[in-house]
Amino acid sequence: MAAGTIRYWAAAKAAAGTAEEPYAADTLADALEAARAAHPGELVRVLLRCSFLVDGNPVGTRAHETVRLAEGGTVEVLPPFAGG
């Protein structure tokens, strides 16, 4: 199991009540499930609209179960942003 950091931005940060927290998970799906369990409520809804970067690489439409997490890695949780 890999250990790293999840960073929340904008609405995800507000919903989680923190800017970042550690993960211990093998896949993005596992890390997000742990985040949902730790922050039930608004974060669960916000995550449905988010995009994700894993170690700086966009996840895009890949199934979260197939996205492996690295030891010391970073998951960025990016809600939709308005403006330009």
Side-chain angles (χ1 to χ4, degrees):
M1 188 170 297
T5 303
I6 298 178
R7 291 188 184 141
Y8 299 105
W9 297 95
K13 179 179 173 181
T18 187
E20 63 181 50
E21 64 187 357
Y23 70 71
D26 290 321
T27 67
L28 178 58
D30 294 338
L32 294 177
E33 184 58 35
R36 286 184 200 90
H39 308 284
E42 185 62 21
L43 183 62
V44 174
R45 291 183 287 280
V46 170
L47 289 176
L48 295 172
R49 302 185 312 268
C50 288
S51 58
F52 305 94
L53 298 176
V54 173
D55 298 329
N57 299 307
V59 171
T61 59
R62 289 184 288 162
H64 295 168
E65 296 81 11
T66 67
V67 179
R68 306 288 300 170
L69 300 179
E71 182 68 28
T74 302
V75 174
E76 307 277 351
V77 180
L78 307 169
F81 292 93

